[in-house]
Structures are given as C-alpha cells and as structure tokens.
Amino acid sequence: MTKTDFRPVKLPDDKQETANHALARVRSYLVEHQDASQIQVSVRDGGDREPLVLPREAVELLASLLAHLGAGRAVSIVPSDAELTTQQAADMLHVSRPFLIGLLDAGEIEYRTVGTHRRITASSLLEYQREDDRRRRLAADELTKLGQEMGMI
C-alpha cells in the first residue's frame, strides 16, 4: 500500500492573487480550445523554455485546484483508491473516530479488514458523504415544505 499524504496545502494571502491570475488564463485557454484532448504548456527551466504536454483532464483538475487555492481554501488530493485508516476517514468527515466506527459497523460505509485494522477507500468514503448530503437535503426540503404549509416560513 502506497502511503498517501493528506496534509492540506493552503496558499499564503500574498500568493492567492497569483493563483487567481493563473486560473483566469487556464479557464480562458480551456474555453478557447474545447476540442483539445492534450494541452501543451511551456515550462521555464533556468533560462530555457521546454514544452510540456498535459492531458486535458489534468489541466481541468489544475483549474479546480487554483480556484480553491485562490479563494483561500486548503486543498488535499486523495486518489479514489487510497486506503484510509479509521482516523484519516474520521478526519475527512469531520467526525470522531468512534462515530465513524459506528458507521462502519452499521454498514453505512464499505471497508475491508487488514489483520485487526479497518481500511476504507476514499471512494467509499466519498460515496457515503454524497449519500449523506443527499439525505440531508431531502430532510431540509421536507422541513421547509412543512414550515410553509404551517405558515411558519
């Protein structure tokens, strides 16, 4: 198993403007070249410029990263097949480890056991998070509807 680094990256305030400027240029390029499956960028190495060809998907991911970093948010990249410890998964959900264990035991999140340790793939965790968000939105919509019917809203 490859060790995954979960430390978030956050730009200092003075570098957020640089990220926003780069984002504007990347977005503009993506819009102007919608058919391009690969994008060539120029990289300066010392005094020389070298061409670098990137898949479009990588440049779109870069644009997303720049948007978050430029807005002052911290960003982490986690491969979907990364296996998380229960503490890492709890940290990503912003819940306690015992609460996460309860979700695992209840079958809410898929996991596998390695020896005596539980491992959760990032994709399973994100799937749970999406479903939990969907349930919360439905409950909020229902409460809003009830409030409107009762004349409270």
Side-chain angles (χ1 to χ4, degrees):
M1 179 172 93
T2 303
K3 183 138 176 88
T4 303
D5 187 1
F6 294 98
R7 288 178 297 170
V9 172
K10 184 172 190 215
L11 293 179
D13 291 346
D14 62 327
K15 291 188 178 179
Q16 289 175 16
E17 181 64 31
T18 303
N20 286 323
H21 178 71
L23 173 61
R25 294 191 63 196
V26 169
R27 280 185 174 161
S28 174
Y29 187 92
L30 289 170
V31 167
E32 291 172 16
H33 300 88
Q34 292 182 12
D35 297 338
S37 64
Q38 294 184 332
I39 296 170
Q40 184 172 331
V41 295
S42 180
V43 179
R44 187 177 302 160
D45 185 15
D48 300 330
R49 287 183 177 256
E50 295 183 30
L52 176 64
V53 178
L54 299 171
R56 181 180 189 87
E57 295 82 1
V59 177
E60 290 171 347
L61 179 60
L62 174 62
S64 179
L65 287 169
L66 289 169
H68 288 291
L69 291 169
R73 293 188 286 272
V75 176
S76 297
I77 296 178
V78 180
S80 62
D81 63 346
E83 288 193 320
L84 311 173
T85 65
T86 52
Q87 187 60 60
Q88 289 169 328
D91 291 345
M92 286 183 72
L93 290 178
H94 305 289
V95 299
S96 69
R97 187 176 166 279
F99 182 82
L100 177 82
I101 297 297
L103 293 173
L104 298 177
D105 289 343
E108 295 284 327
I109 302 172
E110 288 184 36
Y111 69 95
R112 73 181 185 108
T113 306
V114 179
T116 60
H117 302 283
R118 297 176 178 138
R119 296 290 181 255
I120 303 110
T121 61
S123 59
S124 293
L125 194 66
L126 292 173
E127 183 180 318
Y128 165 79
Q129 201 169 31
R130 279 190 293 271
E131 179 60 25
D132 188 51
D133 288 346
R134 186 188 70 76
R135 285 191 302 252
R136 288 174 193 259
R137 278 192 305 278
L138 287 174
D141 290 348
E142 183 64 26
L143 286 172
T144 300
K145 183 180 172 185
L146 287 171
Q148 288 172 343
E149 289 173 358
M150 296 174 71
M152 298 173 73
I153 295 179

